Amino acid sequence: MLLAVDIGNTHTVAGLFSADSAPAADPSARWRWQTSRAATSDETQATVAAMLALDDRSLDDVSHVAVSTVVPQLASTWRELCDRRLPAAQVLLVDPDLPSGIRIAVNEPLELGADRIANAVAAWRRYEQPCIVVDLGTATTFDVIAPNATYLGGAIAPGIGISIAALVDRAARLSTVDLHVPSNAIGRDTADSVRSGTMLGTIAMLEGMLDRLRDELRTQHGVDADQQIQAIATGGFARMLDGHVRGLDAVDPDLTLRGLQLLALHR
């Protein structure tokens, strides 16, 4: 089995794939837990073993491991875990130097997050045409893939969670609210006003950015005016916004895991 692990700043998401599963298949099991930057390899092993046990699996079932992380210190933690507990497993830690089938055309490739590489790989395999990935996590990121599987770059904005946390932290009269997309833009109380500004504001930003990115692909990067440019969303807030964002064609919370599976088993 392949254990695919996407380590974000806030949460870690892991999925299990059969070693002979089709490219970009659904994970047979999926788990999510809070990322701890200070976790040791022993603590990480205990967490992973507990998650596997939820689906009647163990570390002995793991023959391949693929990891993307935006937390640099946890890359060495996972390497230590694999070296000690899974010495026979094939281990892949994603970085910009990894052959991926995607040409990285940014100014500083080494600054590109491993999760964004995995997302680009999965999106290109899904569409095989120009596309945009929107990852709604700790940060909201946009990744733009041009013709011939060329990763052009993208945009980064504060994520929904940290935006509202900063607002609550700095505004004495505001408190955390449960988030959902409100029916009306005009909030009639403080909680609805926060929801409107946060959720509908995010939706407006997403729609505006998708329009701008599509326009640049067509006017500056050789995409025909009538060619469809697909946009796919992933990340922790993707399901919450499903059906609310004009110009967003699909939602796939497992996109990063699919990219890791492609990189590990189907390169």
Side-chain angles (χ1 to χ4, degrees), residues 184-201:
N184 301 301
I186 301 174
R188 303 301 296 272
D189 56 35
T190 300
D192 276 343
S193 297
V194 170
R195 291 186 190 98
S196 174
T198 302
M199 302 306 294
L200 298 184

Side-chain angles (χ1 to χ4, degrees), residues 50-72:
M51 295 297 171
L52 287 165
L54 292 174
D55 287 86
D56 296 321
R57 299 284 187 175
S58 74
L59 286 167
D60 293 333
D61 296 314
V62 176
S63 58
H64 298 72
V65 180
V67 178
S68 67
T69 178
V70 297
V71 185

Side-chain angles (χ1 to χ4, degrees), residues 30-41:
R30 185 181 188 274
W31 313 280
R32 182 183 183 91
W33 64 89
Q34 190 169 10
T35 298
S36 171
R37 296 171 185 241
T40 66
S41 61

Side-chain angles (χ1 to χ4, degrees), residues 227-246:
Q227 183 175 1
Q228 187 174 11
I229 300 169
Q230 300 281 349
I232 183 170
T234 191
F237 288 97
R239 287 197 189 278
M240 188 180 295
L241 295 179
D242 192 7
H244 295 282
V245 181
R246 173 182 50 80

Side-chain angles (χ1 to χ4, degrees), residues 85-104:
R85 182 61 181 83
L86 298 166
Q90 298 183 36
V91 180
L92 178 72
L93 272 71
V94 177
D95 63 49
D97 291 329
L98 179 72
S100 64
I102 298 289
R103 186 172 75 88
I104 307 297

